[in-house]
């Protein structure tokens, strides 16, 4: 089949004079729908206010803001080649991680089943680099050819979406969508009928040698990088897989933060700094051809929180199945956007903060979902900071959160239950003093919580009485879990690290990867049924911090995770003992069969070129490991009896019966 390529053309600005003209609106368009307009007035929300004018916003920021801590969203750190996160005001704060959990099996055309994205909440899809409808695979390839991962300034950097025919008899690329080098892709959504593909990404315009000021003498959207950033949702009609057609483009100012899809409605959350420059503030905007539609100050919510830095967080809703429905939007000025949880009815946005007398705390905002109608409903806070989205859950009208609180000299873990007004109705405080929070999983009226300092306490917490959370049981074992996944209603799979208690202090040396199977059927006495260790200290897996890399299906007992395998040399072990750090010798996917009897390794799959491997199947030279970055497996899925492993360079098909290779599709 002839491969077709769809390329979005954009204007290239070559001189400083043109750059300073700041006509970026000519680079972005809205296709298909009537122009999106911000509302003139915002409805009232409990505990929230709206501004009266631009002067009101300027006065509020001049009075309350103490500079800007804004350094961008999760895509910005990839584009600019460094970690960009929303920092807490205290240096003791721990970083937050990403997202997702709960693989489903779906019946495709005919009787074959296939896996879907590992999501947290049933019915609430999450953007990912790979999607499938059981017949075709859609995957984003972000290639690097300069040996520096996520260095977007290299001419060898590229972002391409590939559409693959997944038939094991004739697997092939049937079309591709090429994005600009100044674009960083976030993920994909696929409509319920499989005919619409959504590409979510950010586009950047950097101004080298140009003073960092933009239209109306306001600062760049990313002043720290002297750059502007725009987030777009491209909607493609892929009913003809060989010829994707761009039918819609929603382009918004600001950095991509997060998104979800419920039915065919996509909800995107975008942020940009709220700073005063020359008496003005750059407000969120949506672009239609060469005209920008900016948010009116009277539509922007805010609350009197103890913040020292502010950003605009905008919520957008779009029906991807209907190219002519008008998108909806709402904007809140808050202290940041760090973590998001979405149920079928609500979006919760949180960010960490600090109070000199009370210590760390987390601000929470609740936005209700009614189709495309988004409405700010409540704002609240709880002591401590969240680990990731799995630290939050909505159940029977209550919002539950687990936090790690720290003050000047102490640390502890807590669980809070909040009502719809985000007022605390029940709490359990003081768990595992001076230990870090590593994993949280809410399942019905139970919460499973993992902390760690020297050993791994797994707590079983009863939430059946929202006013009185109670610890039912506790298991202490070596090592820890960073991610917990339900095996069934009474068993959990944990993915984490083994650990050895240090002799010289109150800590432990983490070692290789650890898979654990827990029986929590007896809530008063949880037990570890089995575990499987992989590699030495330095062994890693993307599944530790990105649950979308975790593939599990209970029906066939399939468990697949990507692994970077490290081994400690005998000489280093003798010299450094448990602190010895291994050298990475292999990268690929570990494929297990898991039952209540434990984990059985079926085999491994790698995309690393065989010419780089020695007789033991390991990378001959450590320096070569970093040269193989495009061959690192990051995702896996199955369709019928075929396992598909995905890297930036290829998609490999293997038989689930014996992992024998069926075919390889190069992503060139």
């Amino acid at each position: 089949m002839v491969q077709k390529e769809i390329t979005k053309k954009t204007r290239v600005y070559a001189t400083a004079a043109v750059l300073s003209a700041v006509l970026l609106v000519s680079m972005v368009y809205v296709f298909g729908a009537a122009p999106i307009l911000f509302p003139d007035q915002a409805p009232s929300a409990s505990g929230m206010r709206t501004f009266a004018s631009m002067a009101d916003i300027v006065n509020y920021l001049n009075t309350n803001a103490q500079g800007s801590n804004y350094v961008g969203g999760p895509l910005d750190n990839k584009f600019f080649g460094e970690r960009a996160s929303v920092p807490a005001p205290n240096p003791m704060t721990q970083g937050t991680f990403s997202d997702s959990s709960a693989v489903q099996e779906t019946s495709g055309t005919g009787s074959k089943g296939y896996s879907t994205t590992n999501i947290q909440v049933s019915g609430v899809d999450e953007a990912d680099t790979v999607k499938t409808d059981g017949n075709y695979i859609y995957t984003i390839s972000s290639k690097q050819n300069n040996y520096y991962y996520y260095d977007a300034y290299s001419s060898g950097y590229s972002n391409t979406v590939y559409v693959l025919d997944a038939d094991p008899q004739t697997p092939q690329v049937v079309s591709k969508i090429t994005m600009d080098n100044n674009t960083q892709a976030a993920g994909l959504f696929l409509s319920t009928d499989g005919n619409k593909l959504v590409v979510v990404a950010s586009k950047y315009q950097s101004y080298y040698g140009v003073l960092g000021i933009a239209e109306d003498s306001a600062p760049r959207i990313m002043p720290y990088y002297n750059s502007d950033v725009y987030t777009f949702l491209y909607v493609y009609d892929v009913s003809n897989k060989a010829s994707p057609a761009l039918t819609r483009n929603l382009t918004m100012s600001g950095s991509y933060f997060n998104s979800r899809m419920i039915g065919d409605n996509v909800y995107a959350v975008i942020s940009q700094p709220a700073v005063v420059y020359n008496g003005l503030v750059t407000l969120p905007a949506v672009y239609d051809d060469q005209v920008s539609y900016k948010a009116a100050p009277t539509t922007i919510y805010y609350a009197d929180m103890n913040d020292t830095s502010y950003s605009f967080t905008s919520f957008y809703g779009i029906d991807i199945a209907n190219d002519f429905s008008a998108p909806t939007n709402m904007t809140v000025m808050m202290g940041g956007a760090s973590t998001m949880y979405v149920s079928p009815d609500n979006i919760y946005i949180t960010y960490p903060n600090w109070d000199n007398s009370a210590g760390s705390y987390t601000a929470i905002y609740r936005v209700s979902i009614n189709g495309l109608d988004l409405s700010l409903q409540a704002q609240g806070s709880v002591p401590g900071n969240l680990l990731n989205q799995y630290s939050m859950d909505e159940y029977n009208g209550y919002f539950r959160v687990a936090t790690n609180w720290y003050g000047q000299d102490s640390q502890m873990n807590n669980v809070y239950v909040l009502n719809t007004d985000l007022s605390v109705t029940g709490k359990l405080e003081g768990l595992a003093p001076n230990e870090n929070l590593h994993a949280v999983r809410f399942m019905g009226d139970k919460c499973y919580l993992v902390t760690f300092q020297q050993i791994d306490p797994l707590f079983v917490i009863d939430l059946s009485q929202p006013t009185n959370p109670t610890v039912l049981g506790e298991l202490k074992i070596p090592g820890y879990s960073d991610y917990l996944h339900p095996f069934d209603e009474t068993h959990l799979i944990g993915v984490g690290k083994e650990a050895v208690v240090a002799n010289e202090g109150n800590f432990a040396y983490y070692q290789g990867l650890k898979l654990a199977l827990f029986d929590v059927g007896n809530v008063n006495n949880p037990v570890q049924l089995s575990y499987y260790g992989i590699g030495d200290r330095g062994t890693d897996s993307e599944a530790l911090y990105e649950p979308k890399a975790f593939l599990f299906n209970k029906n066939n007992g399939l468990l697949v995770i990507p692994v970077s395998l490290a081994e400690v040399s005998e000489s280093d072990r003798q010299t450094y003992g448990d602190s010895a750090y291994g050298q990475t010798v292999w990268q690929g996917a570990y494929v297990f069969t898991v039952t209540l009897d434990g984990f059985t390794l079926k085999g491994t799959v790698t995309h690393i070129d065989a010419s780089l491997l020695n007789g033991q199947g390991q990378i001959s030279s450590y320096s070569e490991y970093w040269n193989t970055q495009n061959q690192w497996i990051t995702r896996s899925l199955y369709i019928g009896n075929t396992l598909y492993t995905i890297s930036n360079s290829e998609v490999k098909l293997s038989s689930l019966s014996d992992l024998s290779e069926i075919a390889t599709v190069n992503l060139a």
Side-chain angles (χ1 to χ4, degrees):
M1 180 177 293
V2 176
Q3 179 177 306
K4 293 189 177 182
E5 179 174 320
I6 307 296
T7 304
K8 177 77 171 69
K9 297 190 180 296
T10 57
R11 182 174 301 178
V12 177
Y13 295 91
T15 66
V18 175
L19 289 173
S20 61
V22 196
L23 293 175
L24 271 175
V25 291
S26 65
M27 298 174 59
V28 286
Y29 306 87
V30 176
F31 294 117
I36 177 173
L37 299 177
F38 288 87
D40 293 328
Q41 205 73 32
S44 61
S46 176
M48 303 296 295
R49 309 173 184 176
T50 56
F51 294 102
S53 63
M54 172 64 80
D56 197 14
I57 297 178
V58 170
N59 180 65
Y60 184 89
L61 291 173
N62 284 336
T63 302
N64 296 281
Q66 301 175 19
S68 176
N69 291 327
Y70 186 86
V71 288
L75 297 184
D76 302 333
N77 72 79
K78 295 182 178 181
F79 181 82
F80 291 106
E82 59 183 81
R83 185 75 176 170
S85 59
V86 179
N90 185 282
M92 291 177 59
T93 187
Q94 301 168 27
T96 59
F97 302 88
S98 297
D99 336 79
S100 227
S101 92
V103 168
Q104 308 162 8
E105 182 172 70
T106 308
S107 295
T109 302
S111 60
K112 63 181 180 181
Y114 60 93
S115 58
T116 56
T117 303
N118 185 16
I119 58 176
Q120 182 180 11
V121 179
S122 178
V124 182
D125 196 14
E126 304 182 24
D128 196 17
T129 56
V130 178
K131 295 289 181 179
T132 183
D133 58 9
N135 296 300
Y136 291 85
I137 294 174
Y138 307 83
T139 182
I140 298 173
S141 173
S142 299
K143 291 190 180 72
Q144 302 286 329
N145 298 316
N146 59 355
Y147 312 149
Y148 294 96
Y149 207 48
Y150 291 143
D151 180 2
Y153 294 112
S154 165
S155 60
Y157 179 87
S158 63
N159 275 293
T160 306
V161 179
Y162 289 88
V163 182
L164 282 74
D165 183 344
D167 187 341
Q169 304 300 317
T170 57
Q172 60 184 310
V173 173
V174 296
S175 61
K176 65 180 182 179
I177 302 166
T178 302
M179 290 179 282
D180 297 333
N181 285 353
N182 62 338
T183 299
Q184 185 66 51
L188 308 171
F189 287 111
L190 194 60
S191 64
T192 54
D193 64 5
N195 289 329
K196 291 292 181 66
L197 178 71
V198 180
V199 180
V200 185
S202 287
K203 179 188 291 291
Y204 301 85
Q205 179 67 59
S206 296
Y207 297 87
Y208 303 106
V210 181
L211 187 64
I213 55 175
E215 57 181 317
D216 302 326
S217 297
R220 302 293 183 201
I221 298 172
M222 293 286 292
Y224 181 79
Y225 298 105
N226 196 18
S227 175
D228 280 321
V229 55
Y230 296 84
T231 297
F232 62 79
L233 276 69
Y234 282 173
V235 182
Y236 290 88
D237 184 337
V238 290
S239 54
N240 180 354
K241 310 300 180 185
S243 183
L246 180 64
T247 62
R248 195 165 194 181
N249 169 10
L250 177 64
T251 301
M252 304 147 285
S253 65
S255 303
Y256 171 81
F257 169 61
N258 217 321
S259 61
R260 295 291 191 273
M261 186 172 77
I262 301 174
D264 284 322
N265 292 335
V266 170
Y267 306 95
V269 182
I270 315 300
S271 63
Q272 69 182 65
V275 293
V276 179
Y277 191 88
N278 285 348
L280 294 172
V281 178
T282 299
L283 299 179
V286 176
Y287 296 89
D288 171 25
D289 200 1
Q290 298 188 22
V291 180
S292 66
Y293 297 91
K294 295 185 178 181
T298 54
T299 68
I300 298 175
Y301 292 99
Y302 72 101
D304 283 330
M305 297 289 290
N306 185 30
D307 294 314
T308 58
S309 177
Y310 296 88
S311 63
F312 295 113
T313 300
S314 297
F315 301 77
Y316 297 90
I318 179 173
D319 180 357
I320 66 171
N322 184 352
D323 293 332
F324 299 96
S325 67
T328 57
N329 60 85
M330 182 196 66
T331 298
V332 184
M333 191 175 78
M334 58 178 75
S338 177
T339 315
M340 184 170 87
Y341 170 88
V342 181
S343 72
D345 301 314
N346 292 288
I347 300 172
Y348 297 87
I349 297 291
T350 75
Y351 62 90
N353 216 325
W354 175 262
D355 183 272
N356 288 331
S357 59
S360 62
Y361 70 93
T362 294
I364 308 170
Y365 291 78
R366 180 174 72 87
V367 175
S368 69
I369 301 171
N370 181 16
L372 290 181
D373 293 333
L374 302 172
S375 175
L376 182 63
Q377 294 293 317
Q379 173 273 324
S381 65
V382 293
N385 288 344
L386 305 182
L387 177 64
N388 52 34
Q389 69 185 59
Y390 289 91
S391 298
M392 301 178 280
D393 180 74
E394 183 187 276
Y395 184 72
N396 285 345
Y398 290 93
F399 183 60
R400 297 96 63 91
V401 294
T403 70
N404 182 260
W405 176 89
Y406 54 87
Q408 298 293 347
D409 302 306
S410 60
Q411 183 179 12
M412 64 181 179
N413 297 279
N414 314 310
V415 176
Y416 298 95
V417 181
L418 295 81
N419 60 20
T420 55
D421 293 328
L422 294 183
S423 299
V424 174
T425 61
K427 59 184 179 181
L428 175 63
E429 298 180 317
L431 291 172
N434 299 316
E435 294 193 3
N436 293 327
L437 181 61
H438 273 265
V440 183
R441 192 74 195 217
F442 291 93
M443 293 170 56
D445 60 8
K446 301 292 190 299
C447 172
Y448 303 96
L449 187 148
V450 173
T451 63
F452 179 77
Q453 184 180 49
Q454 290 183 312
I455 59 173
D456 167 10
L458 170 65
F459 293 95
V460 181
I461 299 170
D462 178 28
L463 298 173
S464 59
Q465 297 182 49
T467 58
N468 186 34
T470 306
V471 174
L472 297 176
E474 178 182 351
L475 170 66
K476 293 185 177 182
I477 53 176
Y480 57 86
S481 296
D482 279 319
Y483 174 62
L484 296 172
H485 191 94
F487 178 86
D488 57 27
E489 292 183 354
T490 57
H491 296 86
L492 291 169
I493 298 172
V495 185
K497 293 287 184 75
E498 193 60 86
V500 177
V501 177
N503 295 322
E504 62 272 23
N506 191 26
F507 66 95
Y509 292 110
Y510 67 85
Q511 301 296 306
L513 283 176
K514 172 186 176 181
L515 292 172
L517 183 62
F518 301 104
D519 184 347
V520 292
N522 182 347
V523 294
N524 303 120
N525 185 35
V527 297
Q528 178 179 277
L529 294 179
S530 63
Y531 84 95
Y532 189 99
I534 304 173
D536 296 328
R537 180 171 165 83
T539 299
D540 204 0
S541 174
E542 189 173 352
L544 294 173
Y545 53 87
E546 176 51 274
K548 297 182 184 71
F550 182 94
L551 172 63
F552 171 67
N553 182 269
K554 183 176 180 294
N555 293 335
N556 57 17
L558 178 66
L559 172 62
V560 185
I561 60 171
V563 172
S564 295
L565 182 67
E567 290 187 353
V568 174
S569 67
E570 189 57 35
S571 60
D572 283 352
R573 196 181 303 277
Q574 291 296 326
T575 303
Y576 302 107
D578 295 326
S579 66
Y581 202 89
Q583 176 177 301
T584 305
V585 297
W586 184 88
Q587 200 284 338
Y590 269 57
V591 183
F592 294 91
T593 297
V594 57
T595 68
L596 292 181
D597 293 326
F599 303 92
T600 301
L601 181 64
K602 292 187 66 172
T604 62
V605 178
T606 185
H607 290 189
I608 295 177
D609 193 297
S611 64
L612 300 177
L613 304 177
N614 59 24
Q616 287 73 47
Q618 298 181 348
I619 298 174
S620 303
S621 170
Y622 178 64
S623 61
E624 288 293 338
Y625 173 72
W626 298 104
N627 297 346
T628 65
Q629 56 189 301
N630 289 327
Q631 300 166 27
W632 297 348
I633 295 173
T634 59
R635 296 291 188 273
S636 58
L637 60 91
Y638 71 85
I639 302 174
N641 195 46
T642 302
L643 175 69
Y644 300 77
T645 49
I646 297 105
S647 66
N648 283 327
S649 64
E650 65 185 51
V651 176
K652 181 174 287 188
L653 288 67
S654 305
S655 169
L656 277 176
S657 300
D658 57 8
L659 294 186
S660 59
E661 182 176 341
I662 298 172
T664 296
V665 179
N666 292 318
L667 304 180

